[in-house]
Amino acid sequence: RFFRAYVYFQLAKRHGGVILYDDLPTSNDKARSTAAETWQFIADDLDFAATNLPKEWDAANKGRVTKGAAYALKSRAMLYAERWQDAYDAADEVEKLQLYDLVDNYADAWKGNNKEAILEFDYNKDSGPNHTFDQYYVPQCDGYDFGALGTPTQEMVESYEDKNGKKYTTTKEPPYDQLEPRFAATIIYRGCTWKGRVMDCSVGGTNGAFMAYREQSYSYGKTTTGYFLRKLLDEKLIDVKGTKSSQAWVEIRFAEVLLNKAEAAYRLNKIGEAQSLMNRVRGRQGVNLPGKSSSGEAWFNDYRNERKIELAYEGHLFWDMRRWRLAHIEYNNYRCHGLKITNGTYEYIDCDGQDRKFPQKLYVLPVPTSEIKNNALIEQYDEWK
């Protein structure tokens, strides 16, 4: 029931109402359920799972899903459903278990097997399963020529506050050393140390070479933005070419649950609690950012940025912008930028070459053509007729 809810959640956040099966199907022909029915189906499955799963497993079963994982997933799913009280209550149940907390060092938060991890997928580089994340994202100086498939943008860098909680904007050399600790734990930038090398991230750079966007058909381990991803990579993995990656993927961690509860509290007009929950995340030992006392729309904008920074590159921002119905506003006719560094000179550059587009109909993805051909009762979503 937990995993059925997990898979249906993946469908629901893309489509809204989908075809629901409570038993194995006997026919291909079945109509779509409504969005409300779909979210209720997910909620019911997660309630069942939370009721029947244990708080913890014994050592022989360590890693299996738990009561906390069911409640945590429900806190996420109910934000998408805009069922604020249900999201709040589910997050509250996670807290009541008293099994999870924020780890002191933000750089450890997504590494798994700690008090912050609620649901994680584990790997083994030797016996498997393993993965190749590092090969996809390391800079060329790691000895692998096909990395850097995605690099952080200047817009992302400018989302970080300084250590005093103030925002910065500049097209000159950014004050990297003045930014809050989560920046250095997330992004490789000029002047930082990565695997014992001081990175330059510049044109012709030995440790982090720059390449203009579309200068070649492939990145070949070079950055088009002046940055490389640090978060989620394994800095201890030296032989990237010859060794598979095995770091965990933490699907749900306690910081997200606190932020889910903060957002739900805001929607329920519990602004004091919303502030406290978000400030708890900002104030974790090792980050120590001052709290935010804003309210109303200003608080929600602060919350959006906090969620963007805390959960950076963990697969949330795009989906958050969709569920908030902000993607067609902020991601339409929009471009991303980077810094081209040449002999210590910083140039603000366009890294897209053309405007990005997000029409409103993309809030609902269409029923696949194969499904329409194979199901006599299915109907295409209105946005795609």
Side-chain angles (χ1 to χ4, degrees), residues 1 23 54 57 65 106 128 146 152 157 160 196 204 214 228 273 346:
R1 298 285 288 271
D23 296 296
W57 291 92
V65 292
Y106 176 73
F146 296 95
V157 174
Y160 286 89
R214 287 186 175 173
F228 296 93
E273 188 170 4
Y346 291 73

Side-chain angles (χ1 to χ4, degrees), residues 322-377:
R322 289 179 84 254
R323 68 182 177 83
W324 291 328
R325 298 282 170 166
L326 292 173
H328 75 285
I329 299 171
E330 298 189 19
Y331 288 170
N332 207 21
N333 299 317
Y334 166 82
R335 296 191 187 188
C336 287
H337 300 82
L339 291 182
K340 179 181 179 181
I341 308 169
T342 309
N343 297 323
T345 300
Y346 291 73
E347 178 187 354
Y348 195 70
I349 56 168
D350 178 357
C351 292
D352 282 334
Q354 61 184 1
D355 290 347
R356 301 183 180 201
K357 301 293 183 183
F358 194 102
Q360 291 194 52
K361 71 177 184 178
L362 284 180
Y363 286 124
V364 176
L365 299 187
V367 177
T369 302
S370 58
E371 180 72 28
I372 292 175
K373 291 180 179 179
N374 199 36
N375 183 345
L377 297 180

